[in-house]
Structure formats: structure tokens, C-alpha cells
Amino acid sequence: MRLLTSIFVLLLLTANLYGNDAEEKLFSVEEETYHANELSEILSQIKENPININTSTKTELQKLPWLSENDIILIIQSRKNQVLSSWEDLDKLGINAITVNELHDYIVFRKRPELHLKQQTRVEFSEAKSKLRSSLKYYQKTLTEYGNFKAGVLTQKDEGESDPIDFYSYYLQYRSNEILQNCILGKYRLALGQGILFAPKLGMSKSAEATSVPVKKYSSLKPYTSSYEIWELEGCSFELTTRNWSIIPFLSRTKLNANLDSLEQITSFNESGLNLDEAKKNNVQETLFGSAVEYNNGNNQLGCSYSSLAFDHEFSNDKRNQKYQAVNLYCNLFNNSYPLFSEIALADEKVAGLAGVKFGDTRFRQMLLVRNYAKDFPSWHGNPFSAQSNFDNETGLYYGVTILPRKDTKINCYFDLWSFPETRYFEKMPTVGSDQFLQLETRISENTFRFTIQNKQKEKYITLDEAEIRDFERLLLRLDWWQKLGVITMKSRAEWISEYLPEDKVHGKGVLFYEQAKLRSEKLQIIAQITVYRSVLEPFKVKHYMYENNVNGIMQNSVFSGDGVASYLLLRYDLFNNVHLQAKISDSWQKSNKMRLFFQLISSW
Amino acid sequence: MKILFLLVLLLLISCLIAIDLNLPQSAVHNAANNLNLIYPTASSMSMNPAICLPGLETSSTYLFNMEELSKYDLHLVIPLGNCCFHLGDSYLDHEFYSENQAVLGINYSSHNLTAGFNVRMLSSQVKGYKDTGSTIFDGGLKWSNSNVSSALAVRNITQSEYEGSILPIVYLWESCYQITKCSRISFGLEKENDFDFSFKFAGRYDILRQLSLISSYQFEPNRIGMGAVFNLYKFNLVYSVRTHQYLDLTHYISLSYEITH
């Protein structure tokens, strides 16, 4: 198999290639999760059904994180006078060349065909888990649409799980332009305001799109189509709309996988979705109900919500209540040159708030965002901007800047300062941290260069039992280079990481290089990549975070540490107009049990 | 942590007498983390004698929002031909300690180049204990054209002493670039003896003729500053805040009047 991979890589060097990994910029440079997040899911959907730039709404265009508010206004205004028919038209509007390049997979200049049925089936084989009883991982998603109705069923079984439908999601959705605008029966997810109370998990906070991605712009109510086996709501929710007002009542009763102690109290939830122990599966029930009221005039959104949440088990942490109520108030004022967004929430008698503003002109955009989340604030269904996944006990200030000094150059940088004002899990004192990020992307003829620097400083304890707090510094330097040779694109990356404990004078370093080739012909797409890395494992493990294309072609994170050579090969072939076969093989050349195989069949009718 | 820091500060205060703490001299400095080219004011000359805006400026703050630690500034810059003359004073007050810094400066411009020189007289008093002082000399150079300006300041150029100890020399280099009619960015490096380089970045955006926003970041130590400048005729009112990793925000307010050159 490794030989096969090598041959493909060599073949690709002489093949036609295409692509520029625009989505990689949207993801955090460090993200450990393997699961697809809401953003990558949205991008995946758009990629399969690109947005028609001539008929899309402002909300649809806002889903494209590379477009600034000014870009969207330019597009909408220009459509009144002309039909946009080519990339050159966007160029003529004055949209930055790097931005235009990033949009290539997501925009079309024609009417979108209507989707009636989509079937997606994926099988995964992991060599490391081949000895498990049921070693294959299955995933299938069926979405269908008829008139105003949409329905979907999603199932997933991880490696080692005996139940063939260990996780499932299902929904029936009705959408219309009448009073009942959106109604979902089954599994769904909520997103309100900036996500303090309700937001899809795994949404991005910090990224190279420094003045765009930190702002949450999700639709309020959506079917749950993620494969992440937790945090979904199950029951019924609908959106009643009259003119600009909407009311969204929701009711949910969900079974969760929790770890319980001897008193049958919840110690933690199993967020991995891996259920090898049937006794720990669906052993806790969560009941949630409430309602949100929103005013939305297309550009501005004001809203508030009330919700009541109860678990059928107590928590071992006495700061967490089994039952609590939550209210929030939020606004997104995008109808001006200085977009404002904010949310304040009260849950279980604890307060959390976030506010931000964008300002600047087309060539120089800035964003300031301040947040304050009380300790033990219930962060269960929320995911606002933060420096950590459990966002409670955090105060911070974010400053993001986007500079477009020339037509084919884009600079993004952000500076984030935060503190955890009270003690946290195994941290005996309050700690502070900061993050500095700079990315310069420029195109010179057929070459694109992207240079990234990220520096992170934080105070931390190294082990659970020690009493000493230390400064920890992490510096990342990365250079990406795309070279277009006619229709061929090669991508090279060189990355250097340094981690440092100044008090102990302990250094850890790592380097990573990769070469990637992309091909896209009329029916065939191939991506092949070979990665070489070397990093220390002692005194601490230096990790390289690298986004690689998953079987869909969407970026997904991989983590490398130690020494090794890794490769993957991805293939997509359009069997017919409506049937696509996708396959991916990844392996590590120096480590055993690392081979993974994916096969996916997608059909759309 | 805040109380601890304050106690440490008070304990160290006798050691800090007349040591230039490089504190902001105005709300604009507070917003821009002591970068001057992003929005020159009368007080800029006390940070870099080659940078100034003729006028009168007065500022006030409670450092780190501590009511017991107040600071007041007054700066006057008068143009005369190719020269500007600067007279300024900063006063830091505490129940047990006070510090005064009087500044006398001059700069001369020729074509795109400006050179300046400052004399700063620092005096401090530990109440009921002793008074002491030191004289410090600063030099500065600035080059500018229509879109780009760059400046270098060397503070304490003669390595003045305080009670037998040499006070640190501070180098501050900064550049400012006008991106559009309404936007400019500035970045700089500051180096003080025995400390790492401190990188600074600032952005300015003129929303209206009467309103400008300034935001900035300083690396080592990490701080974010932001402020708004309200401009009416020749009067400027500036309000700004700046973070500190362990202490509260420093709120600063300035009022200035521009003198036409």
C-alpha cells in the first residue's frame, strides 16, 4: 500500500493540479479535534452546492468567511446593475485578489440546481483498531427534499462498537416563507447570538481571518447533521416569523453518555463518542425547554431567550446544579460601517458577556472583542469566542487586524490577552496568557506565499501535584508556497516550532515539511501529500498541528509528534453526473498500525 | 493579585525614585502604547523630541484605576519658524510618594527631517523621608514624506545617574504608514537596558473628521490599548484605556488645543 502511495505521488508530479486550501486559514492553528466542526460542515455543503453569487441572499454570502462586510455590500449593490458572470467581475469590483482566489470552490455564476436526494456512505478502516471486535467505522447520511419538506437520517458506528447504529440523528424539517418559517422534528441544534448559551461546538474562534471568524454568524435553528456524537438536541423546535419578528420555542429530551461515580453522580461526559462500554451509553437524560424571540431586519438582529435545563443525575462538582434556568440578550448590528455584536447571559446565577466592534475601511479593518465569563458558568451548550474549550472563568480582550496593502497581498494579525481570574482544574492560582499571530499572504505571478508566525505565552502547571506555576512560550514559524505551473499546483510547507519554559530553561523543538500535489480534471480529483516531521518527546511532547484534506476534500486536523514520515492520497472520481466515489488512504512510514482507509460514495438526485 | 502588586510597587517605590518609568504622557500614548507617529500631540515631544504637534495639552489618570495613584500631565509646544519649543510637566502622586518630571525641549525641521533634544528634570519625594532628583537628556530624529514617517528616540542619552546608579537608556524606533485617507498603521520597537525588545503595533482609523479611533498592541509586556479622539475645531478630547495582565485598566483622558503652525 505504501508503494502504491509512492507511485501515485510520483505520477502526480506530472499531472494537472488545482487548489489553494483557502479553508485552512479559517481554522485555529492548534485544534486537537479530529471531528468536523460546524464551519467545515457548512463549507462542505457549500462546496457541493456552491452559492450562486447572482441570487444569493446577504445571509448566504455571510457564510463565506473570507468576504468582509464591505465586499458583501459591493456584490449586492453591483448586482442591481449587472449580472456577475466571471471572476474578473469580482476583480473589477475591487475585491482583493487573495480573497477572490479563496472563493473559487464556493461560488458559481449561475442558478443552483435543486437538490432532491443526497446519499452519502462512508466506511473507514484503521489498522490500529483492526483487532477490535467490530473494527470498521460506518457513517451514512441520507438527505431528501420535497417541496417545503426536508428529511434526513444520519448514522455512525465507531471502531469497536457493536451496535451498528451506535449514534444516529434524524430530522423532518418544514421550511416556508409563511408564518411557520422553519420547523424541525427530531435532532437539531440551536445557535443564538454569539453562542454563550447555545452554539454548535467546534466552531472556530481564532483564525487567520482575524477580523471575520471571531464573529458568530450562524443561523438560529438547523437540523443536527454533525457526526459529533454529543450536544445535539432532540425533540421539536420551530420558528414563527411575522415580518421582522421571530419566535423560536424549543423542547428537547436527550440521552447522554456520562461517567458516573459510586454515588451515581456525573463526573464528566464522554465527548469522544466512542462507546465501548454499553453501560456508560445513554445513561443520563437531559431535558431542556425554552424559547427565543428575535427581531431581524436582514442586517440587524436583536434577541433574547429563556431556557430551563435539567439532568436526571446530580453532578459530583457541587458548583454545578442539576437544574437551572438561563436567559440571554444579544444583538448583531451589521447595518453600518462599524458592525457591533454582543451577548450577555445569566445562567445558574452566573453571568457571562461578550461584546465586539469592527471598524476601518476596505484596506484596513480592525476588530476589538472583549469577553468575561464567570467561573462555573454552565458552558454545556455554548461556544462563544474564548481561549479554551470550557469557556467559563475567563476574561479577555482580542484585537484583530486585516490589512490589504496591495491588490494581491493580505495581512492578518491578531493579539489576544486573557486571564483565568480564579483557580481552575489543577491550577492553584489565577493564570494569564496571550497569543500573537501574524500571517502575510502574497501572490507573485503564479506563486503564492503564506508566511505565518504565532507566539503563545501562558502560565501553567506542568503536572497535577506540583505547586509551581511556570511561564510557557510557544513559537511557530511557517512558510507555505503554492506554485502554479499552468494548471498544476504544488504546495510546500516548512514549519518550525519552539516550546520553552524560561524558569527551567527547558527547550523543545520540532520541524515539519510537506509537499502536496493536487489534480483536478473534469471527472477526477486527486490530492497526494507526503509529510516529514521531527520533534522532541521529552521533557514535553512538541506537537505539529496540520490540517489535511479528509475524504470529502474538506480540511481536518492531524497531529504529529516524534519523528516520522506520513503520507496520504485522496481520490475523487465522478462515476456519473450524480454519483461520486471518494477514497483516501493515509499511513505513517516509520510507525506501525497507522494506516487508515476511507471509502465514500455520494449520490445526488 | 492587584493588592499584592500594589504592595510590591509601594515597597519598591523608594528604589524607583526618579527612575523614568516610561509612563504614558497623554491619553493618546495610553491608547497607542507610547507610539507617537500614529497621532502626534503636544506631549509626543516628551517621548521623542523630534515629534510634536504645536498646542497645549493636559491629561489626567488614575494608574491601573487606583484612586490613590493619580497622574497629571501638562504640555505646551510653541512653533517658531522651523523650530518647536516644548515645555511640559508630569506629576505622579501617592499618599507616600510623589514624582515630578519637568521637560524642556526643542526641535528643528529641515525638508523631511526633524531633529530634537529634550532635557528632563526628574524629582521625587518619599513623603516624610527624603527628596531626590536627576537630570536626563533625550535625543530624537524623524523623517517623513507624504505617506510614511519614521522616528528614532534615545532617552537618557547621556546615561544620567541616580544615587550612584546609572539609569537605563531607552531606544524607541517607530514607523507610520498611511494606508488610506482615513487609515494609518504604526509599528515600533522599544529596547531598554536589561530588557527584551518590546514590539508595538497601532492602528488609527478616522471615522469622521471629528472622530478617530486608535487601537494598539504591545508585546513584552503584553498590553492592548484603545482610545477615541473627539475633534472639534482645534480642540481635541481623548479618552483611552490600556490593559495590564494583573491589574485593572488604566483609563486616561486628555484635552488639547492645537496651535496653527
Side-chain angles (χ1 to χ4, degrees):
Chain A
M1 198 55 75
R2 287 170 190 162
L3 182 66
L4 190 66
T5 310
S6 313
I7 292 167
F8 263 107
V9 171
L10 289 171
L11 282 173
L12 282 169
L13 295 175
T14 56
N16 293 341
L17 306 161
Y18 180 82
N20 202 9
D21 296 347
E23 61 262 36
E24 188 180 13
K25 288 179 71 182
L26 305 171
F27 302 132
S28 164
V29 174
E30 296 170 18
E31 190 73 34
E32 290 231 31
T33 180
Y34 172 75
H35 292 270
N37 57 57
E38 169 103 354
L39 184 61
S40 62
E41 197 188 346
I42 288 172
L43 294 177
S44 169
Q45 287 167 3
I46 299 174
K47 221 170 188 175
E48 281 162 25
N49 297 290
I51 289 174
N52 181 3
I53 200 157
N54 285 303
T55 57
S56 53
T57 62
K58 188 175 179 180
T59 313
E60 283 177 313
L61 289 172
Q62 281 174 342
K63 287 179 183 171
L64 299 169
W66 306 280
L67 286 176
S68 70
E69 282 76 9
N70 282 321
D71 294 336
I72 292 169
I73 290 166
L74 275 176
I75 290 167
I76 289 172
Q77 285 181 343
S78 72
R79 290 191 317 205
K80 293 173 185 168
N81 307 318
Q82 59 167 326
V83 173
L84 298 169
S85 56
S86 67
W87 299 106
E88 285 72 32
D89 287 347
L90 293 183
D91 200 49
K92 283 176 197 163
L93 289 179
I95 295 173
N96 180 270
I98 300 282
T99 306
V100 170
N101 197 39
E102 287 161 343
L103 296 170
H104 264 271
D105 284 344
Y106 302 93
I107 275 181
V108 290
F109 297 88
R110 56 178 166 72
K111 275 201 168 182
R112 199 187 325 172
E114 209 171 309
L115 175 73
H116 294 291
L117 177 68
K118 182 184 167 189
Q119 170 65 38
Q120 181 177 347
T121 306
R122 183 167 72 230
V123 181
E124 295 179 32
F125 169 76
S126 170
E127 195 179 6
K129 295 171 182 173
S130 59
K131 293 192 172 61
L132 292 173
R133 191 175 39 166
S134 177
S135 61
L136 289 181
K137 179 173 179 175
Y138 297 109
Y139 170 87
Q140 82 79 34
K141 186 160 75 174
T142 307
L143 307 177
T144 182
E145 183 178 349
Y146 182 77
N148 293 334
F149 288 93
K150 283 183 180 179
V153 178
L154 180 155
T155 63
Q156 181 166 273
K157 184 200 84 67
D158 292 318
E159 297 95 338
E161 291 174 342
S162 53
D163 188 347
I165 23 183
D166 178 77
F167 171 75
Y168 63 92
S169 180
Y170 63 96
Y171 69 89
L172 175 65
Q173 184 181 27
Y174 172 80
R175 290 185 70 96
S176 77
N177 293 321
E178 307 298 320
I179 291 176
L180 183 60
Q181 205 163 78
N182 189 4
C183 176
I184 299 176
L185 286 170
K187 293 197 176 183
Y188 61 94
R189 71 104 181 99
L190 279 173
L192 302 175
Q194 292 301 308
I196 293 178
L197 288 184
F198 294 101
K201 291 285 184 178
L202 306 175
M204 291 295 119
S205 285
K206 285 182 252 185
S207 80
E209 288 295 334
T211 54
S212 173
V213 172
V215 189
K216 311 281 186 188
K217 290 181 280 194
Y218 299 121
S219 54
S220 304
L221 179 62
K222 196 172 158 288
Y224 194 83
T225 51
S226 168
S227 61
Y228 212 154
E229 302 180 16
I230 199 163
W231 295 304
E232 78 274 22
L233 302 176
E234 184 174 9
C236 174
S237 180
F238 51 91
E239 192 172 348
L240 294 169
T241 303
T242 57
R243 291 190 179 183
N244 299 327
W245 289 90
S246 297
I247 180 164
I248 309 165
F250 47 89
L251 173 67
S252 163
R253 181 167 283 193
T254 321
K255 293 278 190 184
L256 301 166
N257 310 327
N259 298 311
L260 305 177
D261 61 13
S262 56
L263 299 171
E264 291 288 297
Q265 292 180 326
I266 303 167
T267 55
S268 62
F269 288 99
N270 175 10
E271 297 182 10
S272 72
L274 194 61
N275 295 312
L276 298 179
D277 184 355
E278 286 291 316
K280 288 184 180 175
K281 188 178 162 186
N282 296 332
N283 54 352
V284 168
Q285 184 170 277
E286 177 203 55
T287 306
L288 172 74
F289 66 88
S291 183
V293 179
E294 282 184 359
Y295 170 83
N296 193 332
N297 67 3
N299 296 312
N300 301 318
Q301 187 187 40
L302 296 166
C304 62
S305 78
Y306 165 82
S307 53
S308 173
L309 194 143
F311 294 95
D312 65 352
H313 286 64
E314 288 186 339
F315 286 87
S316 59
N317 177 359
D318 58 8
K319 297 276 171 46
R320 294 199 62 179
N321 287 319
Q322 191 180 351
K323 295 177 182 177
Y324 63 84
Q325 275 88 42
V327 290
N328 74 342
L329 193 63
Y330 52 90
C331 72
N332 296 320
L333 308 177
F334 295 141
N335 190 25
N336 54 47
S337 306
Y338 324 106
L340 290 161
F341 50 97
S342 70
E343 181 178 352
I344 186 161
L346 174 70
D348 202 9
E349 299 177 356
K350 293 153 193 111
V351 177
L354 174 153
V357 61
K358 288 195 205 181
F359 51 95
D361 49 30
T362 48
R363 293 180 61 194
F364 181 43
R365 298 193 294 272
Q366 300 177 81
M367 193 180 98
L368 285 164
L369 187 155
V370 61
R371 76 268 189 191
N372 188 313
Y373 312 125
K375 193 183 180 192
D376 295 316
F377 183 88
S379 57
W380 178 237
H381 283 292
N383 184 28
F385 182 91
S386 68
Q388 53 178 346
S389 53
N390 289 325
F391 60 86
D392 69 308
N393 187 23
E394 181 176 322
T395 298
L397 183 60
Y398 172 92
Y399 175 36
V401 178
T402 300
I403 306 169
L404 308 172
R406 298 189 318 165
K407 181 81 180 155
D408 47 12
T409 302
K410 199 171 189 177
I411 300 168
N412 274 287
C413 56
Y414 65 74
F415 312 102
D416 189 29
L417 306 180
W418 70 87
S419 69
F420 305 131
E422 297 187 49
T423 57
R424 298 195 309 155
Y425 171 65
F426 89 72
E427 289 186 347
K428 302 165 188 73
M429 275 179 68
T431 55
V432 299
S434 66
D435 199 353
Q436 301 86 30
F437 179 91
L438 170 71
Q439 187 172 85
L440 164 70
E441 188 167 353
T442 188
R443 201 169 68 182
I444 303 167
S445 181
E446 297 302 318
N447 296 278
T448 303
F449 297 94
R450 187 188 286 169
F451 179 60
T452 308
I453 306 176
Q454 190 190 33
N455 186 68
K456 190 176 263 192
Q457 297 168 308
K458 58 184 178 183
E459 295 173 341
K460 66 185 288 188
Y461 292 83
I462 303 302
T463 61
L464 192 65
D465 55 347
E466 69 180 353
E468 187 185 1
I469 194 168
R470 294 181 176 88
D471 290 330
F472 173 76
E473 297 172 6
R474 186 177 199 272
L475 176 66
L476 175 143
L477 300 175
R478 181 186 286 170
L479 179 66
D480 292 314
W481 172 30
W482 290 263
Q483 190 179 18
K484 263 194 169 180
L485 306 164
V487 289
I488 297 174
T489 304
M490 301 291 292
K491 180 185 178 185
S492 311
R493 167 172 294 181
E495 178 179 289
W496 179 82
I497 290 175
S498 162
E499 295 187 354
Y500 182 46
L501 298 173
E503 280 87 357
D504 300 332
K505 297 199 177 350
V506 175
H507 275 281
K509 288 179 183 170
V511 289
L512 178 145
F513 300 93
Y514 75 62
E515 188 68 32
Q516 185 191 77
K518 283 190 181 181
L519 173 148
R520 177 185 283 179
S521 65
E522 196 176 334
K523 288 199 158 195
L524 180 70
Q525 290 178 50
I526 298 177
I527 303 172
Q529 181 176 312
I530 183 161
T531 308
V532 182
Y533 56 95
R534 184 183 181 92
S535 65
V536 299
L537 297 171
E538 295 291 341
F540 40 73
K541 196 187 279 186
V542 173
K543 293 176 182 172
H544 290 274
Y545 298 90
M546 184 191 80
Y547 282 88
E548 66 177 53
N549 299 86
N550 73 8
V551 70
N552 272 344
I554 294 294
M555 289 286 181
Q556 186 168 279
N557 204 4
S558 293
V559 184
F560 297 112
S561 59
D563 300 344
V565 180
S567 61
Y568 73 86
L569 174 73
L570 194 152
L571 180 145
R572 174 182 163 135
Y573 183 69
D574 297 344
L575 290 171
F576 308 103
N577 278 343
N578 302 325
V579 182
H580 317 289
L581 174 70
Q582 298 172 344
K584 180 183 171 182
I585 177 169
S586 64
D587 202 354
S588 181
W589 292 16
Q590 290 183 315
K591 296 177 181 175
S592 56
N593 287 336
K594 289 286 181 185
M595 200 263 283
R596 290 170 68 96
L597 266 172
F598 305 77
F599 284 101
Q600 182 162 277
L601 198 68
I602 299 177
S603 52
S604 308
W605 306 94
Chain B
M1 185 55 76
K2 176 178 159 184
I3 293 165
L4 178 70
F5 187 88
L6 181 61
L7 285 172
V8 172
L9 188 69
L10 288 172
L11 285 170
L12 289 173
I13 247 165
S14 60
C15 307
L16 293 174
I17 294 168
I19 296 177
D20 182 15
L21 292 175
N22 219 6
L23 294 169
Q25 301 288 313
S26 71
V28 168
H29 291 159
N30 196 48
N33 272 300
N34 287 351
L35 288 173
N36 297 284
L37 291 170
I38 195 83
Y39 204 109
T41 63
S43 58
S44 301
M45 217 168 148
S46 66
M47 306 297 281
N48 182 337
I51 304 170
C52 69
L53 183 78
L56 178 68
E57 183 182 34
T58 178
S59 311
S60 169
T61 184
Y62 292 126
L63 288 174
F64 312 115
N65 210 22
M66 297 177 191
E67 286 188 23
E68 59 275 30
L69 209 53
S70 54
K71 185 172 182 290
Y72 310 95
D73 310 275
L74 182 67
H75 296 272
L76 173 67
V77 174
I78 299 167
L80 195 67
N82 288 338
C83 294
C84 279
F85 295 92
H86 175 220
L87 187 63
D89 191 79
S90 291
Y91 181 69
L92 175 68
D93 184 48
H94 186 268
E95 189 182 350
F96 306 122
Y97 173 76
S98 64
E99 181 181 302
N100 192 70
Q101 175 183 265
V103 189
L104 203 59
I106 181 172
N107 69 31
Y108 176 79
S109 301
S110 174
H111 298 98
N112 294 335
L113 204 63
T114 305
F117 180 73
N118 268 348
V119 183
R120 288 186 288 141
M121 284 144 287
L122 285 162
S123 62
S124 59
Q125 181 186 33
V126 178
K127 289 171 184 170
Y129 177 53
K130 68 173 178 180
D131 297 351
T132 188
S134 182
T135 304
I136 295 173
F137 301 91
D138 307 331
L141 274 175
K142 185 187 85 170
W143 172 89
S144 61
N145 68 14
S146 56
N147 286 327
V148 183
S149 52
S150 195
L152 174 71
V154 183
R155 292 162 65 86
N156 188 21
I157 203 164
T158 54
Q159 289 193 283
S160 298
E161 291 188 3
Y162 162 74
E163 289 193 341
S165 301
I166 295 173
L167 293 173
I169 304 180
V170 179
Y171 302 90
L172 173 63
W173 166 81
E174 58 182 304
S175 270
C176 184
Y177 175 60
Q178 177 125 18
I179 296 180
T180 64
K181 198 179 167 189
C182 302
S183 303
R184 59 175 71 181
I185 57 167
S186 189
F187 41 87
L189 283 173
E190 188 175 289
K191 176 78 178 85
E192 184 177 330
N193 293 6
D194 302 326
F195 286 92
D196 285 340
F197 275 99
S198 172
F199 171 77
K200 295 156 188 265
F201 170 85
R204 168 181 158 185
Y205 177 56
D206 301 332
I207 294 180
L208 307 163
R209 205 152 50 90
Q210 293 83 8
L211 178 62
S212 301
L213 297 177
I214 298 170
S215 38
S216 68
Y217 181 78
Q218 174 179 296
F219 177 60
E220 297 281 1
N222 300 308
R223 287 178 159 197
I224 288 177
M226 59 191 109
V229 183
F230 303 94
N231 180 288
L232 194 63
Y233 185 49
K234 289 183 176 180
F235 288 95
N236 278 346
L237 176 67
V238 190
Y239 168 74
S240 68
V241 292
R242 188 157 74 137
T243 63
H244 187 279
Q245 277 187 313
Y246 301 105
L247 301 175
D248 277 354
L249 295 175
T250 296
H251 300 256
Y252 227 115
I253 190 156
S254 294
L255 182 65
S256 63
Y257 176 77
E258 283 178 30
I259 298 173
T260 310
H261 202 166

